[in-house]
Amino acid sequence: MSAVPVIAIDGTAASGKGTIARALAAKFGFDHLDTGALYRTVAALVLRAGGDPASREDALAVIPRFWSSTIPEAELRSAAVGEAASQVAVIAEVRAALFDLQTAFARHPPGGRGAVLDGRDIGTVICPDAPVKIFVTASVEERARRRWRELAALGSAKTHEMLIEEIRIRDARDGGRLAAPMKQAADAVMLDTTDLGIEAAVAAAEAIVRARLG
Ligand code: CDP
């Protein structure tokens, strides 16, 4: 059992789960952990070392450096690191190395009031007892549009069609892996943000939290 309320947000790539998680944390005065950033950090370290993110050996070799590494935001959020993150995330030992950090945060968040974690396996593996679980998704076309806007602002020349393909591949890898596959927990509420702007999506998520936490 968690000592404080935990909000578990899982969902597909570019579904808006990170934005929703940050907004909920701010509204409720809880601490937020972006667990995707943990896998992205491992991936960035593998790429920096010239390693192969699909290699168990290369991924495990960088774990000792994980604790003392801060990756600049632009590098962490790049498409290359996102893709590599979904490859290192397949490796069970990488997931195991990041497990305790996530459960400790959920039980003892720095502010002590509550925790919001977002990722792929929060409601199923990391915090299966969380009183609030939300699974966020949107159509692949809309998610590719959102990713296109983000990447275009960073100067990327990727087209909408290229991003649709990349997101399809990522969803298939995240949902099809053996170790903690992305899936909606049985007691999670589905939130489809295809036709929702940020404000409406956050309001819908807040209503789910209030209904669950009372
Ligand atoms: O922002 P976006 O949805 O593109 O990705 P992210 O949440 O930063 O996660 C990057 C990758 O890390 C995902 O594609 C997953 O493969 C992996 N991940 C995971 O396996 N488990 C988590 N709890 C969080 C992320």
Side-chain angles (χ1 to χ4, degrees):
M1 274 302 275
S2 297
V4 295
V6 173
I7 302 174
I9 315 270
D10 289 302
T12 52
S15 59
K17 62 191 178 326
T19 305
I20 290 171
R22 269 190 304 278
L24 289 178
K27 270 183 200 295
F28 291 96
F30 291 1
D31 296 296
H32 170 228
L33 181 65
D34 166 9
T35 66
L38 309 177
Y39 294 91
R40 284 174 179 265
T41 297
V42 173
L45 292 174
V46 173
L47 294 180
R48 279 184 182 192
D52 172 3
S55 151
R56 180 182 164 275
E57 208 186 348
D58 290 359
L60 291 182
V62 306
I63 296 289
R65 291 209 293 287
F66 170 87
W67 310 104
S68 56
S69 303
T70 311
I71 308 293
E73 200 57 20
E75 183 180 348
L76 200 67
R77 301 293 154 199
S78 69
V81 167
E83 168 64 18
S86 86
Q87 292 181 285
V88 301
V90 170
I91 303 164
E93 291 97 327
V94 169
R95 307 197 72 83
L98 300 176
F99 183 87
D100 287 352
L101 182 162
Q102 297 173 77
T103 53
F105 184 96
R107 275 170 215 259
H108 307 288
R113 296 182 59 183
V116 185
L117 286 82
D118 77 275
R120 300 291 188 290
D121 62 342
I122 307 303
T124 50
V125 174
I126 304 292
C127 303
D129 297 330
V132 187
K133 298 181 187 178
I134 305 177
F135 190 87
V136 187
T137 193
S139 72
V140 68
E141 290 79 11
E142 177 56 24
R143 288 187 282 134
R145 244 186 309 277
R146 292 175 190 167
R147 191 57 28 111
W148 180 84
R149 270 187 236 116
E150 279 169 23
L151 294 177
L154 297 172
S156 157
K158 288 198 174 169
T159 63
H160 184 235
E161 286 67 32
M162 287 159 84
L163 292 168
I164 287 180
E165 190 49 28
E166 283 184 16
I167 287 179
R168 284 215 168 101
I169 291 171
R170 188 108 82 84
D171 284 353
R173 191 185 293 129
D174 288 350
R177 68 185 175 216
L178 285 176
M182 167 179 72
K183 68 167 181 251
Q184 183 178 347
D187 52 350
V189 177
M190 158 79 83
L191 177 56
D192 187 325
T193 66
T194 306
D195 298 318
L196 301 180
I198 292 176
E199 240 172 76
V202 170
E206 187 182 349
I208 295 167
V209 175
R210 291 196 188 282
R212 287 279 174 107
L213 290 183

